[in-house]
PDB file of all heavy atoms in Angstrom:
ATOM      1  N   ILE A 230      78.800 177.107  75.306  1.00 82.00           N
ATOM      2  CA  ILE A 230      80.232 176.868  75.165  1.00 82.00           C
ATOM      3  C   ILE A 230      80.887 177.902  74.264  1.00 82.00           C
ATOM      4  O   ILE A 230      82.090 178.140  74.357  1.00 82.00           O
ATOM      5  CB  ILE A 230      80.505 175.457  74.626  1.00 82.00           C
ATOM      6  CG1 ILE A 230      79.918 175.284  73.226  1.00 82.00           C
ATOM      7  CG2 ILE A 230      79.977 174.385  75.574  1.00 82.00           C
ATOM      8  CD1 ILE A 230      80.350 173.986  72.546  1.00 82.00           C
ATOM      9  N   LEU A 231      80.095 178.572  73.394  1.00 82.00           N
ATOM     10  CA  LEU A 231      80.685 179.521  72.454  1.00 82.00           C
ATOM     11  C   LEU A 231      81.052 180.846  73.108  1.00 82.00           C
ATOM     12  O   LEU A 231      81.682 181.693  72.486  1.00 82.00           O
ATOM     13  CB  LEU A 231      79.729 179.764  71.279  1.00 82.00           C
ATOM     14  CG  LEU A 231      79.400 178.539  70.427  1.00 82.00           C
ATOM     15  CD1 LEU A 231      78.544 178.934  69.234  1.00 82.00           C
ATOM     16  CD2 LEU A 231      80.665 177.837  69.960  1.00 82.00           C
ATOM     17  N   ARG A 232      80.664 181.026  74.368  1.00 81.00           N
ATOM     18  CA  ARG A 232      81.065 182.235  75.097  1.00 81.00           C
ATOM     19  C   ARG A 232      82.337 182.019  75.898  1.00 81.00           C
ATOM     20  O   ARG A 232      82.786 182.921  76.608  1.00 81.00           O
ATOM     21  CB  ARG A 232      79.938 182.666  76.032  1.00 81.00           C
ATOM     22  CG  ARG A 232      78.668 183.117  75.311  1.00 81.00           C
ATOM     23  CD  ARG A 232      77.612 183.556  76.298  1.00 81.00           C
ATOM     24  NE  ARG A 232      76.376 183.951  75.626  1.00 81.00           N
ATOM     25  CZ  ARG A 232      75.270 184.329  76.251  1.00 81.00           C
ATOM     26  NH1 ARG A 232      75.249 184.351  77.586  1.00 81.00           N
ATOM     27  NH2 ARG A 232      74.186 184.666  75.562  1.00 81.00           N
ATOM     28  N   ASP A 233      82.899 180.844  75.797  1.00 84.00           N
ATOM     29  CA  ASP A 233      84.070 180.465  76.593  1.00 84.00           C
ATOM     30  C   ASP A 233      85.319 180.509  75.720  1.00 84.00           C
ATOM     31  O   ASP A 233      85.373 179.848  74.673  1.00 84.00           O
ATOM     32  CB  ASP A 233      83.850 179.057  77.151  1.00 84.00           C
ATOM     33  CG  ASP A 233      84.868 178.678  78.218  1.00 84.00           C
ATOM     34  OD1 ASP A 233      85.993 179.221  78.198  1.00 84.00           O
ATOM     35  OD2 ASP A 233      84.527 177.833  79.064  1.00 84.00           O
ATOM     36  N   ARG A 234      86.319 181.265  76.122  1.00 88.00           N
ATOM     37  CA  ARG A 234      87.533 181.373  75.313  1.00 88.00           C
ATOM     38  C   ARG A 234      88.280 180.046  75.223  1.00 88.00           C
ATOM     39  O   ARG A 234      89.043 179.828  74.286  1.00 88.00           O
ATOM     40  CB  ARG A 234      88.463 182.466  75.839  1.00 88.00           C
ATOM     41  CG  ARG A 234      89.092 182.210  77.189  1.00 88.00           C
ATOM     42  CD  ARG A 234      90.205 183.212  77.485  1.00 88.00           C
ATOM     43  NE  ARG A 234      89.780 184.575  77.256  1.00 88.00           N
ATOM     44  CZ  ARG A 234      90.610 185.552  76.859  1.00 88.00           C
ATOM     45  NH1 ARG A 234      91.885 185.287  76.635  1.00 88.00           N
ATOM     46  NH2 ARG A 234      90.156 186.774  76.690  1.00 88.00           N
ATOM     47  N   ARG A 235      88.064 179.147  76.185  1.00 89.00           N
ATOM     48  CA  ARG A 235      88.672 177.824  76.090  1.00 89.00           C
ATOM     49  C   ARG A 235      88.168 177.086  74.858  1.00 89.00           C
ATOM     50  O   ARG A 235      88.929 176.375  74.190  1.00 89.00           O
ATOM     51  CB  ARG A 235      88.373 177.015  77.366  1.00 89.00           C
ATOM     52  CG  ARG A 235      89.030 177.581  78.625  1.00 89.00           C
ATOM     53  CD  ARG A 235      88.558 176.883  79.874  1.00 89.00           C
ATOM     54  NE  ARG A 235      87.137 177.096  80.135  1.00 89.00           N
ATOM     55  CZ  ARG A 235      86.523 176.733  81.252  1.00 89.00           C
ATOM     56  NH1 ARG A 235      87.203 176.130  82.230  1.00 89.00           N
ATOM     57  NH2 ARG A 235      85.232 176.963  81.411  1.00 89.00           N
ATOM     58  N   THR A 236      86.888 177.233  74.561  1.00 91.00           N
ATOM     59  CA  THR A 236      86.317 176.604  73.375  1.00 91.00           C
ATOM     60  C   THR A 236      86.995 177.125  72.113  1.00 91.00           C
ATOM     61  O   THR A 236      87.359 176.354  71.215  1.00 91.00           O
ATOM     62  CB  THR A 236      84.807 176.886  73.294  1.00 91.00           C
ATOM     63  OG1 THR A 236      84.166 176.348  74.453  1.00 91.00           O
ATOM     64  CG2 THR A 236      84.200 176.262  72.046  1.00 91.00           C
ATOM     65  N   TRP A 237      87.193 178.443  72.031  1.00 93.00           N
ATOM     66  CA  TRP A 237      87.766 179.032  70.824  1.00 93.00           C
ATOM     67  C   TRP A 237      89.258 178.773  70.713  1.00 93.00           C
ATOM     68  O   TRP A 237      89.809 178.714  69.601  1.00 93.00           O
ATOM     69  CB  TRP A 237      87.464 180.524  70.781  1.00 93.00           C
ATOM     70  CG  TRP A 237      86.002 180.764  70.551  1.00 93.00           C
ATOM     71  CD1 TRP A 237      85.081 181.199  71.451  1.00 93.00           C
ATOM     72  CD2 TRP A 237      85.286 180.510  69.342  1.00 93.00           C
ATOM     73  NE1 TRP A 237      83.825 181.250  70.889  1.00 93.00           N
ATOM     74  CE2 TRP A 237      83.919 180.834  69.587  1.00 93.00           C
ATOM     75  CE3 TRP A 237      85.638 180.050  68.077  1.00 93.00           C
ATOM     76  CZ2 TRP A 237      82.942 180.702  68.611  1.00 93.00           C
ATOM     77  CZ3 TRP A 237      84.659 179.923  67.107  1.00 93.00           C
ATOM     78  CH2 TRP A 237      83.337 180.256  67.375  1.00 93.00           C
ATOM     79  N   ALA A 238      89.939 178.599  71.847  1.00 93.00           N
ATOM     80  CA  ALA A 238      91.346 178.222  71.798  1.00 93.00           C
ATOM     81  C   ALA A 238      91.507 176.851  71.156  1.00 93.00           C
ATOM     82  O   ALA A 238      92.353 176.635  70.283  1.00 93.00           O
ATOM     83  CB  ALA A 238      91.943 178.221  73.209  1.00 93.00           C
ATOM     84  N   VAL A 239      90.657 175.920  71.573  1.00 93.00           N
ATOM     85  CA  VAL A 239      90.681 174.576  70.995  1.00 93.00           C
ATOM     86  C   VAL A 239      90.271 174.622  69.523  1.00 93.00           C
ATOM     87  O   VAL A 239      90.892 173.995  68.660  1.00 93.00           O
ATOM     88  CB  VAL A 239      89.749 173.634  71.790  1.00 93.00           C
ATOM     89  CG1 VAL A 239      89.591 172.294  71.069  1.00 93.00           C
ATOM     90  CG2 VAL A 239      90.274 173.429  73.202  1.00 93.00           C
ATOM     91  N   ALA A 240      89.223 175.381  69.228  1.00 93.00           N
ATOM     92  CA  ALA A 240      88.693 175.432  67.869  1.00 93.00           C
ATOM     93  C   ALA A 240      89.732 175.941  66.874  1.00 93.00           C
ATOM     94  O   ALA A 240      89.930 175.357  65.802  1.00 93.00           O
ATOM     95  CB  ALA A 240      87.447 176.314  67.839  1.00 93.00           C
ATOM     96  N   GLY A 241      90.385 177.043  67.209  1.00 94.00           N
ATOM     97  CA  GLY A 241      91.390 177.598  66.302  1.00 94.00           C
ATOM     98  C   GLY A 241      92.557 176.656  66.094  1.00 94.00           C
ATOM     99  O   GLY A 241      93.066 176.501  64.971  1.00 94.00           O
ATOM    100  N   ALA A 242      92.981 176.015  67.168  1.00 95.00           N
ATOM    101  CA  ALA A 242      94.092 175.070  67.051  1.00 95.00           C
ATOM    102  C   ALA A 242      93.711 173.874  66.194  1.00 95.00           C
ATOM    103  O   ALA A 242      94.529 173.350  65.424  1.00 95.00           O
ATOM    104  CB  ALA A 242      94.529 174.605  68.445  1.00 95.00           C
ATOM    105  N   LYS A 243      92.468 173.428  66.293  1.00 94.00           N
ATOM    106  CA  LYS A 243      92.017 172.296  65.484  1.00 94.00           C
ATOM    107  C   LYS A 243      91.935 172.662  63.999  1.00 94.00           C
ATOM    108  O   LYS A 243      92.275 171.850  63.138  1.00 94.00           O
ATOM    109  CB  LYS A 243      90.653 171.806  65.982  1.00 94.00           C
ATOM    110  CG  LYS A 243      90.689 171.126  67.334  1.00 94.00           C
ATOM    111  CD  LYS A 243      91.377 169.772  67.264  1.00 94.00           C
ATOM    112  CE  LYS A 243      90.498 168.724  66.599  1.00 94.00           C
ATOM    113  NZ  LYS A 243      91.179 167.402  66.546  1.00 94.00           N
ATOM    114  N   ILE A 244      91.473 173.867  63.692  1.00 93.00           N
ATOM    115  CA  ILE A 244      91.408 174.284  62.283  1.00 93.00           C
ATOM    116  C   ILE A 244      92.788 174.188  61.642  1.00 93.00           C
ATOM    117  O   ILE A 244      92.960 173.626  60.561  1.00 93.00           O
ATOM    118  CB  ILE A 244      90.866 175.720  62.164  1.00 93.00           C
ATOM    119  CG1 ILE A 244      89.372 175.759  62.478  1.00 93.00           C
ATOM    120  CG2 ILE A 244      91.110 176.266  60.754  1.00 93.00           C
ATOM    121  CD1 ILE A 244      88.790 177.153  62.481  1.00 93.00           C
ATOM    122  N   VAL A 368      82.417 170.462  73.723  1.00 86.00           N
ATOM    123  CA  VAL A 368      83.622 171.208  73.344  1.00 86.00           C
ATOM    124  C   VAL A 368      84.486 170.378  72.398  1.00 86.00           C
ATOM    125  O   VAL A 368      85.020 170.891  71.409  1.00 86.00           O
ATOM    126  CB  VAL A 368      84.417 171.618  74.598  1.00 86.00           C
ATOM    127  CG1 VAL A 368      85.756 172.251  74.198  1.00 86.00           C
ATOM    128  CG2 VAL A 368      83.610 172.603  75.439  1.00 86.00           C
ATOM    129  N   PHE A 371      82.747 170.422  68.996  1.00 87.00           N
ATOM    130  CA  PHE A 371      82.859 171.695  68.302  1.00 87.00           C
ATOM    131  C   PHE A 371      84.282 171.901  67.789  1.00 87.00           C
ATOM    132  O   PHE A 371      84.488 172.390  66.668  1.00 87.00           O
ATOM    133  CB  PHE A 371      82.466 172.852  69.220  1.00 87.00           C
ATOM    134  CG  PHE A 371      82.506 174.196  68.539  1.00 87.00           C
ATOM    135  CD1 PHE A 371      81.542 174.535  67.610  1.00 87.00           C
ATOM    136  CD2 PHE A 371      83.531 175.096  68.798  1.00 87.00           C
ATOM    137  CE1 PHE A 371      81.582 175.765  66.951  1.00 87.00           C
ATOM    138  CE2 PHE A 371      83.585 176.317  68.153  1.00 87.00           C
ATOM    139  CZ  PHE A 371      82.601 176.657  67.229  1.00 87.00           C
ATOM    140  N   CYS A 375      85.417 172.309  63.852  1.00 89.00           N
ATOM    141  CA  CYS A 375      86.316 173.323  63.299  1.00 89.00           C
ATOM    142  C   CYS A 375      87.495 172.667  62.583  1.00 89.00           C
ATOM    143  O   CYS A 375      87.952 173.155  61.537  1.00 89.00           O
ATOM    144  CB  CYS A 375      86.809 174.244  64.410  1.00 89.00           C
ATOM    145  SG  CYS A 375      85.499 175.281  65.112  1.00 89.00           S
ATOM    146  N   TRP A 414      98.138 180.409  68.654  1.00 96.00           N
ATOM    147  CA  TRP A 414      96.743 180.762  68.916  1.00 96.00           C
ATOM    148  C   TRP A 414      96.331 180.372  70.335  1.00 96.00           C
ATOM    149  O   TRP A 414      95.670 181.148  71.036  1.00 96.00           O
ATOM    150  CB  TRP A 414      95.858 180.083  67.883  1.00 96.00           C
ATOM    151  CG  TRP A 414      94.389 180.268  68.103  1.00 96.00           C
ATOM    152  CD1 TRP A 414      93.509 179.340  68.591  1.00 96.00           C
ATOM    153  CD2 TRP A 414      93.615 181.448  67.873  1.00 96.00           C
ATOM    154  NE1 TRP A 414      92.245 179.866  68.665  1.00 96.00           N
ATOM    155  CE2 TRP A 414      92.277 181.163  68.232  1.00 96.00           C
ATOM    156  CE3 TRP A 414      93.926 182.716  67.391  1.00 96.00           C
ATOM    157  CZ2 TRP A 414      91.262 182.106  68.130  1.00 96.00           C
ATOM    158  CZ3 TRP A 414      92.898 183.654  67.275  1.00 96.00           C
ATOM    159  CH2 TRP A 414      91.590 183.342  67.645  1.00 96.00           C
ATOM    160  N   LEU A 418      95.110 183.035  73.442  1.00 94.00           N
ATOM    161  CA  LEU A 418      93.841 183.006  74.167  1.00 94.00           C
ATOM    162  C   LEU A 418      93.980 182.469  75.588  1.00 94.00           C
ATOM    163  O   LEU A 418      93.214 182.863  76.472  1.00 94.00           O
ATOM    164  CB  LEU A 418      92.816 182.162  73.397  1.00 94.00           C
ATOM    165  CG  LEU A 418      92.301 182.734  72.088  1.00 94.00           C
ATOM    166  CD1 LEU A 418      91.151 181.885  71.559  1.00 94.00           C
ATOM    167  CD2 LEU A 418      91.836 184.181  72.247  1.00 94.00           C
TER     168      LEU A 418
END
Side-chain angles (χ1 to χ4, degrees):
I230 63 171
L231 298 185
R232 294 181 182 177
D233 192 334
R234 67 168 50 211
R235 294 172 295 189
T236 300
W237 291 107
V239 171
K243 290 290 286 180
I244 288 176
V368 173
F371 182 72
C375 292
W414 175 255
L418 291 188

